Amino acid sequence: MTVIEVGTAAKVMGVVQQYRQAKPTINLPAEGEAEVVETMAELEREVNSGSPDVGRIWRGLQLVGAHLNTAAAGALGNLIAAGALDLAAQLH
């Protein structure tokens, strides 16, 4: 298990906050939206845990990126996806 750096944890939380603010304007199918909402909550829990796991965070960012990197998510969703995927690439 590899732990996450403080600066990276802040970036992950930035992705979570961006999504929460943009959520009303992102039009995902209900199932995809539910999965993204749950994954964002998991990312937040992981980052705030005593020993955040990079692998879990990486997987969460990948999933979020995949859901938001679609036409349905719109431009704002695509921007958040790009940030999540870029951050995931830095972790792996």
Side-chain angles (χ1 to χ4, degrees):
M1 175 177 74
T2 307
V3 294
I4 192 168
E5 295 177 10
V6 173
T8 303
K11 291 177 184 176
V12 172
M13 288 308 300
V15 170
V16 171
Q17 292 305 321
Q18 288 173 346
Y19 174 73
R20 288 183 177 156
Q21 290 174 352
K23 185 177 177 287
T25 64
I26 296 175
N27 296 313
L28 292 176
E31 185 177 304
E33 181 178 339
E35 193 167 6
V36 170
V37 167
E38 177 58 30
T39 301
M40 290 295 186
E42 289 171 7
L43 284 170
E44 185 173 28
R45 281 192 301 272
E46 191 64 36
V47 165
N48 291 318
S49 73
S51 57
D53 183 275
V54 171
R56 288 183 185 151
I57 293 170
W58 180 82
R59 284 186 295 280
L61 291 169
Q62 289 288 320
L63 187 140
V64 165
H67 277 296
L68 296 180
N69 197 21
T70 63
L76 191 50
N78 294 170
L79 284 172
I80 296 168
L85 293 172
D86 182 56
L87 186 52
Q90 294 174 30
L91 293 175
H92 218 245

